[in-house]
Amino acid sequence: MTTQAEMQIAPSAHAHAERKWWHYFTFCEDHKVIGLQYLVTAFFFYAIGGALATAIRTELATPASDFVTPDTYNSLLTLHGTIMIFLWIIPAGAGLANYLIPLMIGARDMAFPKMNAMAFWMVPPSGIALVLSFFLESPQAGWTSYPPLSLMTGKVGEGIWIFSLLVAGTSSILGAINFLVTILKMRVPSMTIHQMPLFCWSMLATAGLILVGTPVLAGALILLAFDLLAGTSFFNPTGGGDPIVYQHMFWFYSHPAVYIMVLPLFGAISEILPVHARKPIFGYKAIAYSSLVISFLGLIVWAHHMFTSGTPAWLRMFFMITTMIIAVPTGIKVFGWLATIWGGKISFNSAMLFAMGFIAVFVIGGITGVMLAAVPFDIHVHDTYFVVAHLHYVLFGGSVFGIYAAIYHWFPKMTGRMVNETLGQIHFVLTFIGMNLTFMPMHELGLLGMNRRIAFYDARFTTLNQVATVGAYILAVSTVPFLINAVWSWVKGAKAVDNPWNALTLEWQTSSPPAIENFEVLPVLMTGPYDYGEHHSENGALPPSAEPVLTGSSSGS
Amino acid sequence: MQGTVDPNKAALNYHNEEVVAPAHEEHPDLRLFGLLVFLGAESMIFLGLFVAYLTFRAVYPSWPPEGTPERELVLPAINTVILIASSFIIHNADTAIKKNDVKGLRTWFSITAIMGAVFLMGQLYEYSKLEFGLTTNLYASTFYVLTGFHGLHVFLGVCLILAVLWRAQKAGHYSDHDHFGVEAAELYWHFVDVVWIVLFILLYLL
Amino acid sequence: MKIPSNILTMLAGILLTLVSIWYGKNHGLMPVQASSDAALVDGLFDTMMIISTAIFLLVWGVLIICLLKFRRQPGDETDGPAIEGNIPLEIVWTAIPVVIVLVLGVYSFDVYNSMGGFDPDAAGDPGVQVAMASEDGTAMSLMDAAPKKAHHNHMALGIGASPQNIGSPPDLTVNVLGMQYAWIYTYPDLGITTGELHVPANKNVRLNLKSQDVIHAFWLPEFRIKQDTIPGMESELRFTPTRVGDYPIVCAELCGAYHGGMASRLYVQAPEDYDKWVQEQMPAPESDSQTAADLEKLMAAPTGEKRSDADYLVPVAHQMGLDAQTLDHLHHTMPMPSDALKQVSANLATPAA
Ligand code: HEA
Ligand code: HEA
Ligand code: CUA
Ligand SMILES: [Cu+2]
């Protein structure tokens, strides 16, 4: 209460205060600072996860196990999967959400700023513990950590793994509470729910999934921890436990988790495409509601990861059909996006390239997902490189491309500087080629008989594996132009105007970067978020010099 | 674009009026809503554990497994009555503070805290009397983990209540229009109570 | 203007269909088919490839056209047309995936049924669980912590008899035991215990899968079938090999450091060859007790403990019926990181060891 009273008394003292660089290293309650903290931290872990991936591919360049020992290989892939999912994609999504939601709905901050900061500060310890575990005794049971294997690979490593996930999960839940409450309750009064940018819709769906799914993972991890450390046998068949129960609890969260990882980026793509194609989003409501449908369906498909496990036949059929149906709402989105850019006036800048690249590669991953859902086929390819190919097409092609698109798109807003387009386009081309080179051959490997999570393989798979390894090196190199670009542009890039893309959503109606409390006066909606075309085409697009009706104050300048 | 708003759009609630809101408007207090969302998430942990328990139960041919020492029902039943009663007691505090009666608040909260503590001691006493340990068998493990995890929540609830009592010492900290802490502690207490009822049915009665 | 673009669209559509069908039938991505199940699965896969190729070409086609045709011209500051949706179009592109998905669902169901997925003996049907449990109690001896009878209800899983075989017993039953890091096959009717699986061609085979320690998965890529072996549970795979040859057997579920090395081979043999093999394997009386003793020792080893590479393989090698030469051969085709296998072959070569 007191803080709110303060805000009323001395608004300008806050609003015109300057953001200092060291604020970014403190327990700061500003959602924009937290958003950037998340993004940078997540990217840091991405580099670690990527380095692990590079080690994996180096090992797999030859059939023999010659680069690392098989034990080490298993810890590489376990940490790679865990770090990528729990410390890169999920926090990066949370970072975008933190940065964008309040700006997009015209709020000054999140509903619970302190809790927001707390949620962020749980991420680094969780990640550091995981990374350190590599040097103590690393977890080796894969990111899925199925018992009884996970109970036998070493108490310390597995214990750290459980601890990290519990902390990261708590962080995720606290973040989701904020997103949900903020989106539902803090929109400017003039914004009805159907005028909300699509990113907010997708975060609504994501928050729902987090709140329903993550606690169940926590439950599974608690029981696993008891088995590991206290000698109970919930999941240990030697004492009469049931390892299948763990699989159900794990996937009850971890299937929704894949939508937790991709829905925010679906939202980001829905923002980026209309702006750079200069056309309204095609089928706003369809795209908005399909997020909710995906998130509902996402909760009732988990056992498609268990078709060859302890799943009875009729359940296999049930989960097959629910899984396949997810293609429908996702298809609605994909076709809506295609119709949005069709006939537009597209600027092919880095943001747009990554957004279109997202559609291109995500669709491949989505289609292989539907194939995997078909039980008889999945029985053949389950736990093979076909699944590895699928998961990277959706996770790298989907989530990572989406995050890059979002960074390029909102970079001017976040930093007040423009990115270097040439470097951005080099980054895109290298990433696109490297990505397909790395993961396309994995489909064939899996179909032919190469199982996943192996440090050495049959010599007949050598060629395809070497192609993948080359691709992975290209991917590692592709990150360099991005890093240079991001750092250099942040410090030295051309100054960005408030609304460099002439976009209509609210975050562009304030200064770049926005002032500490976002808006000088709270904005009032004058157009929908995607009203490009028609009523202003007669007199041209928004004239850059037009008197800004929706404004914030400029900060730092 | 600005100024040329499509009249159809305006009818669809696209406002074009002058800004009326004050510069730094206060947003309504959302903490209770946030707490509700949080409790929703928390109940998913319990739901997950309950379903796991029911699965173990269903998979075993006999439950509790043959040879598991008997458990008595009287003490837990008394404990249950205490906990449920405390939920009614704590509600009086809410009524009191809405009438600005801080003293009433303190009284009712103190009683609730004591009842919570008694419940916890009862639980510990029951543990000490049981003839099986955490790792005796799957049944024993689920019993200890479920009741223990719930007990942890009761403990947290008691801590919340004590925190409110601590703050209530300061005159005027809670009043009829500003008593989020009281409501939060109460809501949490009810939550813990409801979970216990389900747990009691699952573990003792079923 | 209008007519040519319609025709163009139609031509593109026809081309897309033809290319998709051609690719779906000629992708050559699957290994050989060694059973009738494999043909069924491949039929499903080919269909999915046709649909996938079509969707892929459609989406990439649209993206490429956008890339080429809908560029913003330099200096053009205007917006594109304000099209906000088109309900009939949206209904169409919702309906088409619905239809595709339902067709695929029904098709998959049919394939699964033909393969034997719904055989009540193997489908986890509660009705037969109890009967199965009393029929074979060996799996339970591993679970010493829980009293024998009070253990799990039984739940067999996997691919059972195909509809025409339901009710008729298989021609050959083999028990498969997965352990870190080997498969052990026992032929209960013949008293054979070996490390490679031999089956006669065109006979109906049933594998009873069990696990000794952690979860493994028994995968026959050329047969398109796979089933996890879960400690404390029993699962089965039933199939009819149709093609003579030898095929890899792969452990597909991560089971520890040497998961990649947990492989063996399936020999599908003409009946004469198979009989000859059986004759060779028939245990001589003394080696029988030897095998049993070794097996016992292996079972008794605490599963949770860390064992060295050689420890894993030495006891197993005997059961697998591997001689020094095979091990050496294995060493070349399936390179191992440590010298574990070499050590084992050395041990086997010097009888004193
Ligand atoms: C961002 C992450 C992400 C996303 C979005 C998805 C999306 C989907 N996934 Fe995937 N999946 C993973 C991440 C993801 N997955 C991971 C990490 C694993 C492995 C976990 C592990 O074991 O380690 C996995 C594994 C996995 C499996 C288990 C495989 C196995 O282990 O045997 C299955 C099986 O059904 C599956 C299915 C699907 C389906 C049907 C979708 C659908 O949502 C896809 C829908 C999208 C489309 C279909 C494309 C667009 C639609 C159209 C253009 C319309 C027309 C299309 C049709 C009619 C087909 N996934
Ligand atoms: C978002 C998730 C995500 C992402 C982005 C990636 C990215 C990559 N993944 Fe991974 N992967 C998973 C999630 C992800 N993966 C999961 C969940 C699994 C399953 C784990 C399991 O089985 O338990 C898996 C498994 C997995 C395997 C299978 C292992 C096995 O089963 O044996 C392989 C093998 O090639 C692989 C490779 C790669 C490669 C080459 C990349 C590349 O795209 C990475 C490229 C990125 C970089 C290289 C980092 C950026 C570069 C720099 C900052 C420059 C500095 C870097 C160096 C000096 C090296 N991944
Ligand atoms: Cu056994 Cu992998
Ligand atoms: Cu899934």
Side-chain angles (χ1 to χ4, degrees):
Chain A
M1 285 290 123
T2 41
T3 49
Q4 277 162 7
E6 265 170 24
M7 271 159 52
Q8 270 186 317
I9 297 160
S12 41
H14 268 282
H16 293 291
E18 231 185 286
R19 188 53 76 210
K20 297 280 199 315
W21 63 267
W22 49 264
H23 287 154
Y24 288 90
F25 296 87
T26 59
F27 190 89
C28 178
E29 295 175 21
D30 180 348
H31 73 99
K32 297 183 293 299
V33 173
I34 296 174
L36 289 176
Q37 284 174 328
Y38 264 115
L39 281 170
V40 173
T41 312
F43 198 86
F44 172 76
F45 286 115
Y46 176 48
I48 295 177
L52 295 170
T54 314
I56 290 179
R57 285 305 337 160
T58 306
E59 167 61 70
L60 294 177
T62 57
S65 164
D66 41 17
F67 180 63
V68 291
T69 65
D71 302 65
T72 315
Y73 181 84
N74 283 355
S75 23
L76 288 180
L77 77 91
T78 303
L79 290 177
H80 165 69
T82 312
I83 288 178
M84 286 295 193
I85 286 177
F86 291 97
L87 293 154
W88 159 230
I89 305 289
I90 293 180
L96 288 174
N98 264 305
Y99 199 94
L100 294 174
I101 288 174
L103 285 167
M104 282 181 163
I105 62 174
R108 301 211 177 278
D109 205 323
M110 283 287 188
F112 312 111
K114 210 173 248 132
M115 193 168 86
N116 207 16
M118 243 160 66
F120 166 73
W121 282 104
M122 290 182 169
V123 174
S126 150
I128 289 168
L130 260 189
V131 174
L132 282 185
S133 80
F134 188 73
F135 301 101
L136 293 170
E137 176 190 72
S138 46
Q140 296 184 359
W143 84 280
T144 50
S145 208
Y146 281 5
L149 179 67
S150 54
L151 302 173
M152 292 161 56
T153 49
K155 278 195 170 59
V156 178
E158 188 63 20
I160 296 178
W161 184 87
I162 293 173
F163 165 81
S164 285
L165 257 64
L166 281 174
V167 175
T170 312
S171 148
S172 185
I173 291 175
L174 295 184
I177 295 173
N178 245 321
F179 303 151
L180 191 80
V181 175
T182 308
I183 294 172
L184 288 180
K185 298 282 182 183
M186 309 243 310
R187 296 190 308 274
V188 277
S190 56
M191 184 186 279
T192 67
I193 197 137
H194 286 120
Q195 292 159 343
M196 204 164 70
L198 287 165
F199 180 78
C200 299
W201 276 99
S202 67
M203 280 318 299
L204 207 56
T206 311
L209 280 179
I210 295 177
L211 291 170
V212 176
T214 320
V216 178
L217 175 72
L221 293 176
I222 291 169
L223 296 185
L224 190 67
F226 270 98
D227 277 4
L228 184 76
L229 305 172
T232 56
S233 46
F234 295 107
F235 305 134
N236 194 347
T238 319
D242 191 342
I244 303 300
V245 173
Y246 173 85
Q247 297 183 8
H248 279 292
M249 292 177 88
F250 179 83
W251 289 115
F252 182 83
Y253 165 73
S254 289
H255 178 78
V258 310
Y259 299 112
I260 293 171
M261 289 185 277
V262 87
L263 276 170
L265 291 320
F266 282 175
I269 298 297
S270 307
E271 299 298 326
I272 296 166
L273 293 176
V275 173
H276 299 288
R278 311 306 306 162
K279 272 186 70 204
I281 191 88
F282 195 98
Y284 171 91
K285 282 195 179 167
I287 292 185
Y289 293 153
S290 62
S291 295
L292 302 183
V293 175
I294 290 176
S295 105
F296 170 72
L297 287 173
L299 287 169
I300 51 167
V301 303
W302 73 89
H304 65 214
H305 297 273
M306 301 166 58
F307 283 154
T308 70
S309 168
T311 313
W314 62 273
L315 265 181
R316 295 185 187 189
M317 293 298 117
F318 170 79
F319 283 104
M320 168 172 83
I321 204 70
T322 50
T323 304
M324 285 185 169
I325 290 174
I326 298 194
V328 177
T330 319
I332 290 175
K333 281 184 191 292
V334 169
F335 295 131
W337 292 331
L338 291 178
T340 302
I341 57 175
W342 184 267
K345 300 187 171 175
I346 309 175
S347 318
F348 288 97
N349 49 30
S350 316
M352 192 62 176
L353 285 173
F354 269 104
M356 286 172 66
F358 172 100
I359 303 179
V361 275
F362 177 78
V363 160
I364 298 179
I367 293 172
T368 54
V370 175
M371 292 180 160
L372 286 171
V375 171
F377 176 68
D378 183 67
I379 288 178
H380 176 52
V381 291
H382 171 68
D383 267 330
T384 68
Y385 263 83
F386 192 89
V387 176
V388 177
H390 160 72
L391 77 89
H392 286 95
Y393 263 91
V394 278
L395 274 171
F396 195 97
S399 310
V400 179
F401 271 50
I403 293 171
Y404 279 138
I407 291 177
Y408 282 116
H409 181 73
W410 279 291
F411 195 88
K413 183 53 60 184
M414 292 172 172
T415 63
R417 311 268 184 172
M418 302 302 286
V419 288
N420 179 312
E421 273 303 323
T422 316
L423 279 175
Q425 288 172 15
I426 294 175
H427 175 215
F428 171 74
V429 172
L430 283 178
T431 311
F432 193 80
I433 295 174
M435 191 271 151
N436 286 292
L437 212 56
T438 313
F439 302 118
M440 189 56 90
M442 292 185 183
H443 291 109
E444 188 173 353
L445 282 171
L447 291 168
L448 286 179
M450 180 162 166
N451 45 343
R452 60 191 280 206
R453 296 168 163 175
I454 53 174
F456 43 97
Y457 53 86
D458 198 323
R460 67 198 160 107
F461 301 129
T462 313
T463 318
L464 287 171
N465 268 300
Q466 284 172 345
V467 174
T469 300
V470 171
Y473 291 155
I474 295 179
L475 274 182
V477 172
S478 78
T479 322
V480 175
F482 171 76
L483 274 178
I484 296 175
N485 198 352
V487 173
W488 186 84
S489 302
W490 201 330
V491 181
K492 283 237 151 79
K495 279 250 187 308
V497 295
D498 290 353
N499 190 355
W501 316 125
N502 286 332
L504 295 179
T505 39
L506 290 183
E507 79 271 25
W508 298 105
Q509 317 308 330
T510 182
S511 56
S512 295
I516 285 184
E517 285 187 351
N518 295 349
F519 302 97
E520 187 98 299
V521 291
L522 278 197
V524 173
L525 288 195
M526 306 232 321
T527 67
Y530 308 108
D531 285 350
Y532 301 101
E534 232 169 48
H535 38 271
H536 49 288
S537 55
E538 313 102 61
N539 54 348
L542 174 66
S545 59
E547 185 198 349
V549 175
L550 309 170
T551 106
S553 73
S554 50
S555 77
S557 49
Chain B
M1 160 190 72
Q2 284 100 355
T4 56
V5 172
D6 185 330
N8 293 323
K9 295 263 167 68
L12 284 170
N13 208 359
Y14 280 74
H15 295 242
N16 196 12
E17 297 121 43
E18 252 314 295
V19 184
V20 274
H24 283 263
E25 62 301 319
E26 194 177 319
H27 68 74
D29 190 347
L30 298 171
R31 287 175 295 178
L32 211 58
F33 183 49
L35 180 65
L36 274 174
V37 177
F38 175 76
L39 291 181
E42 272 243 88
S43 52
M44 282 307 294
I45 303 194
F46 281 105
L47 196 69
L49 293 175
F50 292 165
V51 173
Y53 171 78
L54 287 173
T55 314
F56 291 136
R57 222 187 116 91
V59 170
Y60 262 69
S62 68
W63 190 267
E66 279 165 41
T68 310
E70 278 299 309
R71 237 183 9 194
E72 66 149 339
L73 204 61
V74 181
L75 182 71
I78 298 174
N79 240 350
T80 307
V81 172
I82 293 176
L83 200 63
I84 294 178
S86 72
S87 238
F88 290 95
I89 302 267
I90 199 172
H91 188 69
N92 289 327
D94 189 59
T95 321
I97 194 66
K98 280 189 180 136
K99 293 192 201 117
N100 243 337
D101 172 10
V102 179
K103 201 157 157 266
L105 164 75
R106 285 223 290 268
T107 319
W108 294 118
F109 258 52
S110 308
I111 299 177
T112 315
I114 292 168
M115 290 171 91
V118 169
F119 174 88
L120 282 175
M121 309 253 255
Q123 185 92 65
L124 287 177
Y125 180 75
E126 192 195 350
Y127 285 176
S128 72
K129 288 286 159 211
L130 283 176
E131 284 163 35
F132 52 77
L134 176 63
T135 57
T136 304
N137 58 24
L138 189 56
Y139 169 81
S141 308
T142 46
F143 173 80
Y144 278 110
V145 170
L146 282 175
T147 51
F149 193 59
H150 174 264
L152 198 70
H153 282 74
V154 177
F155 181 72
L156 273 175
V158 172
C159 290
L160 275 179
I161 291 173
L162 292 178
V164 170
L165 279 174
W166 177 259
R167 288 192 176 182
Q169 287 176 328
K170 207 169 93 189
H173 190 91
Y174 296 112
S175 64
D176 52 353
H177 60 271
D178 181 9
H179 50 266
F180 166 72
V182 179
E183 281 180 312
E186 187 194 343
L187 197 63
Y188 193 82
W189 196 251
H190 290 322
F191 169 76
V192 165
D193 204 16
V194 171
V195 170
W196 175 256
I197 294 173
V198 180
L199 203 57
F200 185 72
I201 295 173
L202 284 182
L203 287 179
Y204 293 89
L205 302 185
L206 222 61
Chain C
M1 269 319 273
K2 194 128 187 86
I3 300 158
S5 89
N6 274 350
I7 291 179
L8 267 182
T9 316
M10 200 180 77
L11 285 179
I14 293 175
L15 191 71
L16 186 143
T17 316
L18 290 178
V19 171
S20 308
I21 293 178
W22 179 84
Y23 186 66
K25 300 249 174 235
N26 295 285
H27 51 74
L29 291 172
M30 281 285 197
V32 296
Q33 301 172 348
S35 75
S36 46
D37 290 350
L40 290 172
V41 174
D42 288 4
L44 173 65
F45 178 62
D46 290 354
T47 311
M48 294 197 296
M49 279 306 275
I50 294 173
I51 297 171
S52 307
T53 313
I55 296 171
F56 168 81
L57 289 176
L58 185 78
V59 172
W60 278 52
V62 169
L63 288 170
I64 289 170
I65 292 174
C66 287
L67 196 64
L68 300 175
K69 228 178 111 183
F70 300 121
R71 282 177 178 275
R72 189 175 65 88
Q73 298 310 314
D76 180 359
E77 293 292 317
T78 60
D79 286 355
I83 305 163
E84 299 195 338
N86 180 336
I87 302 289
L89 189 61
E90 288 173 49
I91 291 178
V92 169
W93 74 43
T94 309
I96 291 178
V98 170
V99 172
I100 293 178
V101 156
L102 290 181
V103 168
L104 283 182
V106 172
Y107 189 0
S108 305
F109 180 89
D110 186 51
V111 169
Y112 189 58
N113 184 33
S114 308
M115 291 169 74
F118 292 102
D119 175 3
D121 272 351
D125 186 317
V128 276
Q129 282 168 15
V130 183
M132 300 261 317
S134 51
E135 183 190 298
D136 179 8
T138 48
M140 278 148 213
S141 63
L142 299 173
M143 319 305 155
D144 33 290
K148 259 194 186 186
K149 258 188 76 190
H151 195 56
H152 282 200
N153 275 339
H154 218 81
M155 205 203 226
L157 294 152
I159 305 282
S162 54
Q164 65 269 24
N165 280 339
I166 282 193
S168 58
D171 301 319
L172 172 68
T173 302
V174 184
N175 292 331
V176 179
L177 180 68
M179 62 174 66
Q180 288 172 323
Y181 298 96
W183 296 108
I184 294 185
Y185 310 100
T186 39
Y187 292 64
D189 303 334
L190 303 170
I192 298 175
T193 300
T194 115
E196 53 189 37
L197 185 56
H198 288 247
V199 296
N202 296 316
K203 293 277 196 259
N204 195 247
V205 181
R206 171 166 148 179
L207 306 178
N208 292 328
L209 307 170
K210 280 181 209 160
S211 169
Q212 152 89 12
D213 35 41
V214 298
I215 305 177
H216 305 272
F218 189 87
W219 182 29
L220 295 170
E222 279 73 12
F223 294 70
R224 317 284 189 270
I225 50 176
K226 177 187 292 126
Q227 174 58 44
D228 288 8
T229 67
I230 303 155
M233 281 190 200
E234 192 169 310
S235 46
E236 78 168 73
L237 284 175
R238 202 162 151 175
F239 59 95
T240 308
T242 53
R243 189 175 175 280
V244 171
D246 69 303
Y247 306 101
I249 296 172
V250 183
C251 171
E253 182 68 54
L254 178 64
C255 53
Y258 294 97
H259 156 61
M262 185 165 163
S264 75
R265 293 198 84 79
L266 166 62
Y267 295 88
V268 178
Q269 294 173 308
E272 319 75 82
D273 296 338
Y274 173 72
D275 289 339
K276 218 168 88 201
W277 176 80
V278 169
Q279 291 311 317
E280 282 165 14
Q281 295 298 310
M282 280 305 216
E286 17 19 316
S287 84
D288 184 27
S289 58
Q290 168 68 25
T291 312
D294 276 0
L295 206 59
E296 219 147 75
K297 207 166 68 200
L298 194 67
M299 299 281 205
T303 43
E305 260 173 42
K306 286 233 170 202
R307 287 178 279 176
S308 78
D309 303 345
D311 286 350
Y312 276 123
L313 290 159
V314 176
V316 188
H318 187 84
Q319 265 72 51
M320 299 201 314
L322 297 185
D323 53 5
Q325 198 198 333
T326 330
L327 275 170
D328 218 45
H329 179 67
L330 250 176
H331 185 64
H332 290 298
T333 50
M334 189 62 70
M336 289 289 253
S338 67
D339 288 335
L341 271 177
K342 258 191 201 148
Q343 203 175 324
V344 175
S345 18
N347 286 352
L348 284 175
T350 49

